Amino acid sequence: MVWTDKIRQVKIALVGAAVLIAAASLVVSHFLVRDLAREERQRMEIWAEAMHTLSQADEETDLNLVLKVIEQNNTIPVIVVDAAGEVQTYRNVKLHGATGADSTAEAAQTARRMLGRQQAIRVQIGEGRDDYLLVCYDDSLLLTRLAWYPYIQLGVVMLFVVVAIFALLTSKRAEQNKVWVGLSKETAHQLGTPISSLMAWTEILHETYPDDTLIPEMDKDVKRLQLIADRFSKIGSAPERTDVSLHDILQNVVEYMNRRTSQHVSITFSMSDPDCKVMVNRQLFEWVFENLCKNAVDAMSGSGSITITARQSGSRCIIDVSDTGKGIERGNIKNVFRPGFTTKKRGWGLGLSLARRIIEEYHHGRIYVLRSEVGAGTTFRIEV
């Protein structure tokens, strides 16, 4: 739990730092865009003044500077319209290939859009009320790119971060898989030698004491050890799946758990269709229910009931395992399948993680917490 909390805090800190960096980038970009927009406004005011001078020019007016100012605007789109909204001239405006009257109409529409954004400068050309021109302008290509650049940059960075996180998670998962497989194979290997020795000793005891009633029970325990070793040996490889009776699997699990739990704990199961069959590896599938039942027994502190219900839903079987234990806190529900997570003082936190691996990776099904209430119990659902 301590390491889990530390890792979560590190993740939160990294996300917080990323948000601060992104916010700082956007703020700086905003100020740059604002300053550039203000500069372009000043340039257009000078351009509008040049247009005013041009409209008021006579034969003695030197137009060299005026024309130079007008011609030097090669970046800012500008459209000049009169009081009636008629287009007089335009510059640096893309009109999507329109010509003639169509181009004039499109330019007028573009000018109205500029006016709507209040990007226009009024130039008085006469004494009359309607004797004026409106110099409508838009953001230059440079300003537009600068305005969009931080968002594109952040998008690229976020994409890179997502890909990096995905790669790290994939690498971590692959490493965890290697640990799972190595641990399971080594456990099965280590159990193999003493189990073989115990099987030989039970055979000797059978021959020496054929009427002893305890030897068959010892034989059952040795076979149980052999089953556990076989289960561990199947982790990491594609298990062989066969069409087996779900009723037989659940009945076997319930009988096994009833023999090894307190009389104050009742374990029952019911099925709407006793003939329901599932394509599973029986040994691993039983292991899942044994883990769920053992966790439920621990959660009930030696007294309560476990109910297993199964039903057919289309082509899948749905099995619910419910207990009357202490329940799971809402904040811990998303962590119950995480390797190493446990609320018990003694425990490795691997049972539910192993159950999910068996159901989802080996049988392509689903296992999740259907509902849980503190003090009332928990229900796990399996779909295969």
Side-chain angles (χ1 to χ4, degrees):
M1 289 292 292
V2 175
W3 284 106
T4 303
D5 292 339
K6 286 184 178 180
I7 292 173
R8 186 181 297 112
Q9 290 173 1
V10 171
K11 289 181 179 179
I12 293 174
L14 290 174
V15 171
V19 171
L20 289 177
I21 293 173
S25 176
L26 290 176
V27 169
V28 171
S29 175
H30 169 73
F31 284 116
L32 289 175
V33 170
R34 186 192 64 180
D35 293 342
L36 184 58
R38 186 179 300 161
E39 182 180 342
E40 288 192 353
R41 173 77 181 189
Q42 293 173 353
R43 289 175 59 189
M44 291 313 302
E45 288 176 351
I46 296 173
W47 198 88
E49 185 64 27
M51 289 293 297
H52 177 264
T53 303
L54 183 63
S55 66
Q56 299 294 328
D58 54 26
E59 295 179 354
E60 298 179 357
T61 304
D62 186 4
L63 298 178
N64 290 330
L65 181 59
V66 173
L67 294 176
K68 186 176 181 180
V69 170
I70 294 175
E71 292 296 330
Q72 279 184 342
N73 175 28
N74 296 316
T75 58
I76 303 175
V78 58
I79 302 174
V80 180
V81 297
D82 59 18
E86 297 293 333
V87 176
Q88 302 300 308
T89 184
Y90 54 84
R91 188 176 183 84
N92 305 322
V93 179
K94 293 182 179 180
L95 297 178
H96 304 93
T99 59
D102 293 335
S103 65
T104 303
E106 186 177 348
Q109 184 179 2
T110 305
R112 285 193 293 271
R113 187 174 68 250
M114 295 174 180
L115 284 171
R117 294 200 297 265
Q118 297 183 347
Q119 290 180 293
I121 300 172
R122 182 176 175 135
V123 178
Q124 194 72 32
I125 59 176
E127 297 180 358
R129 183 177 181 181
D130 295 332
D131 293 336
Y132 66 88
L133 297 175
L134 288 176
V135 178
C136 307
Y137 67 96
D138 205 348
D139 296 335
S140 66
L141 183 60
L142 176 61
L143 181 59
T144 303
R145 287 176 176 175
L146 183 60
W148 280 103
Y149 176 74
Y151 298 100
I152 297 174
Q153 183 184 37
L154 290 176
V156 172
V157 170
M158 289 302 297
L159 179 62
F160 175 78
V161 170
V162 169
V163 172
I165 291 176
F166 178 77
L168 289 173
L169 292 177
T170 302
S171 176
K172 181 181 178 182
R173 189 172 301 146
E175 185 177 352
Q176 289 178 343
N177 288 340
K178 289 181 180 179
V179 173
W180 270 108
V181 173
L183 179 63
S184 301
K185 299 292 185 183
E186 182 64 19
T187 302
H189 175 71
Q190 294 294 335
L191 288 173
T193 301
I195 289 174
S196 299
S197 178
L198 288 172
M199 293 177 69
W201 280 111
T202 54
E203 288 297 325
I204 294 174
L205 290 174
H206 268 300
E207 295 176 358
T208 307
Y209 306 101
D211 298 327
D212 195 310
T213 57
L214 295 179
I215 295 177
E217 294 300 320
M218 293 175 59
D219 191 44
K220 289 180 181 179
D221 288 336
V222 172
K223 290 180 179 178
R224 179 68 186 177
L225 286 174
Q226 182 64 49
L227 175 62
I228 293 172
D230 289 342
R231 287 173 175 174
F232 276 110
S233 67
K234 288 179 171 61
I235 299 298
S237 57
E240 181 181 355
R241 296 190 294 172
T242 56
D243 201 18
V244 296
S245 170
L246 181 60
H247 181 275
D248 293 345
I249 291 176
L250 296 179
Q251 185 177 34
N252 190 45
V253 171
V254 170
E255 290 176 355
Y256 171 75
M257 292 301 301
N258 276 329
R259 291 196 302 267
R260 285 161 175 77
T261 54
S262 168
Q263 294 181 352
H264 299 290
V265 176
S266 65
I267 306 176
T268 58
F269 82 98
S270 61
M271 293 185 62
S272 59
D273 182 10
D275 297 326
C276 177
K277 292 185 178 295
V278 287
M279 183 68 68
V280 296
N281 181 277
R282 178 162 186 161
Q283 293 178 340
L284 294 181
F285 206 62
E286 288 183 359
W287 200 2
V288 171
F289 290 103
E290 289 176 12
N291 280 332
L292 292 177
C293 290
K294 289 176 182 177
N295 284 344
V297 171
D298 293 337
M300 292 186 297
S301 302
S303 178
S305 63
I306 301 173
T307 305
I308 304 175
T309 58
R311 59 185 175 86
Q312 188 86 23
S313 178
S315 60
R316 300 174 75 85
C317 287
I318 298 178
I319 310 105
D320 292 339
V321 181
S322 305
D323 63 63
T324 57
K326 59 185 178 181
I328 304 172
E329 295 181 1
R330 185 179 299 272
N332 289 333
I333 289 179
K334 62 182 180 180
N335 297 321
V336 294
F337 293 104
R338 183 182 299 172
F341 177 84
T342 179
T343 57
K344 295 182 288 187
K345 293 182 179 179
R346 295 182 179 180
W348 291 93
L350 297 177
L352 289 177
S353 176
L354 179 63
R356 170 178 260 182
R357 184 184 182 92
I358 292 172
I359 294 297
E360 296 188 356
E361 293 190 22
Y362 296 158
H363 294 92
H364 309 294
R366 290 182 64 203
I367 179 172
Y368 54 93
V369 179
L370 180 63
R371 57 180 173 270
S372 184
E373 183 179 349
V374 176
T378 303
T379 299
F380 285 89
R381 170 163 289 185
I382 296 174
E383 299 176 5
V384 289

